[in-house]
Amino acid sequence: MKTLWKKLSKENRQKIKSSPYKYRSTKLQAELKTEVAWTNLRFESIIFLLQETTGEKTLIENVDKLFDNE
């Protein structure tokens, strides 16, 4: 199974890597590299993920769109 990190686009992975919030970014990367379903992520991780990648509101549809590139 693909991890969430692999499901993210390269562009979004780069946005997370280059975030000025290194501690939060590192924690998020660790989570994304071990989890296979975004529903297993912590709420704060989902918020941070959307803020750093799309800037969109935290809606289930927006989170689904991030990982819907298979």
Side-chain angles (χ1 to χ4, degrees):
M1 280 196 126
K2 282 186 172 182
T3 62
L4 293 175
W5 185 252
K6 293 289 182 184
K7 290 181 182 180
L8 275 177
S9 69
K10 287 183 182 183
E11 178 185 348
N12 285 333
R13 283 185 282 198
Q14 189 57 40
K15 287 179 183 177
I16 293 169
K17 286 180 184 178
S18 63
S19 169
Y21 305 102
K22 293 297 177 198
Y23 178 72
R24 289 173 71 189
S25 174
T26 303
K27 285 178 66 175
L28 176 61
Q29 286 180 55
E31 265 189 278
L32 292 173
K33 289 177 180 179
T34 57
E35 296 295 344
V36 293
W38 68 261
T39 53
N40 294 336
L41 296 175
R42 292 174 300 127
F43 181 71
E44 72 179 52
S45 295
I46 294 171
I47 300 287
F48 184 68
L49 176 64
L50 286 173
Q51 288 173 338
E52 293 300 307
T53 55
T54 64
E56 293 189 35
K57 293 182 180 178
T58 311
L59 302 173
I60 290 174
E61 295 83 18
N62 292 338
V63 180
D64 266 343
K65 283 189 249 176
L66 279 174
F67 302 107
D68 191 30
N69 61 355
E70 294 183 18

